[in-house]
Amino acid sequence: MRVAVIGGSTIDERTEETARRLGRLLGERGHTVVCGGLGGVMRAVCEGATRAGAETVGILPGEDPAAANKWVSTPIATGLGNARNVLVALNGEGVVAVDGATGTLSEIGHALDFGRPVAGLAAHDPGLEGFEATETPTEAIEYVERAASGAA
């Protein structure tokens, strides 16, 4: 399954470790990670997933695929700026939000509009159907796996 991971581009060490662990667990479970392809949560989740042998897709805001972080295996340049947030949300069958600010909120909204289940790890809880606040990366993954399969 493709899981979109969204979150802050500037993060602290604790959030970085959480995102890296999330990526590792997603990779170990055979998932492909889709993200915005840059720094912060995006870089950390890609590092964890890549180290676990998973594919990572970075949907970039600019026109240069080389702008992707070094852990992205498939960079996709869009030239869309923050409008690429729609594509990140659309291309995950489930979404995990880690931390984040307004860009992450927009991606949560788009994901819910597309009917994608969203798990939040220290993320803004919009209080909407389809969003589940979770405490650990494992809980987040288990929620999106269940919800995407229709078992939630």
Side-chain angles (χ1 to χ4, degrees):
M1 170 168 112
R2 288 185 321 269
V3 178
V5 178
I6 58 178
S9 59
T10 304
I11 56 174
D12 61 25
E13 285 184 32
R14 182 173 178 217
T15 303
E16 182 177 2
E17 183 50 41
T18 297
R20 192 176 294 114
R21 182 168 175 246
L22 173 66
R24 180 179 53 80
L25 292 170
L26 285 166
E28 288 173 354
R29 292 172 89 119
H31 299 300
T32 296
V33 169
V34 177
C35 70
L38 299 176
V41 166
M42 298 168 279
R43 182 186 187 288
V45 75
C46 286
E47 179 182 354
T50 298
R51 289 184 185 276
E55 181 177 352
T56 59
V57 178
I59 301 177
L60 302 163
E63 298 177 10
D64 183 4
N69 74 65
K70 73 178 189 176
W71 302 102
V72 171
S73 54
T74 306
I76 300 173
T78 68
L80 294 173
N82 287 339
R84 68 78 151 86
N85 292 355
V86 174
L87 298 175
V88 174
L90 178 64
N91 282 284
E93 295 165 70
V95 177
V96 178
V98 182
D99 190 49
T102 57
T104 305
L105 283 171
S106 77
E107 289 169 312
I108 290 170
H110 292 306
L112 294 173
D113 281 347
F114 291 130
R116 305 300 196 256
V118 180
L121 278 168
H124 305 285
D125 184 346
L128 297 171
E129 185 176 335
F131 183 94
E132 180 79 20
T134 59
E135 297 292 322
T136 68
T138 300
E139 287 176 10
I141 295 167
E142 289 174 351
Y143 170 73
V144 297
E145 287 174 339
R146 276 192 321 274
S149 73

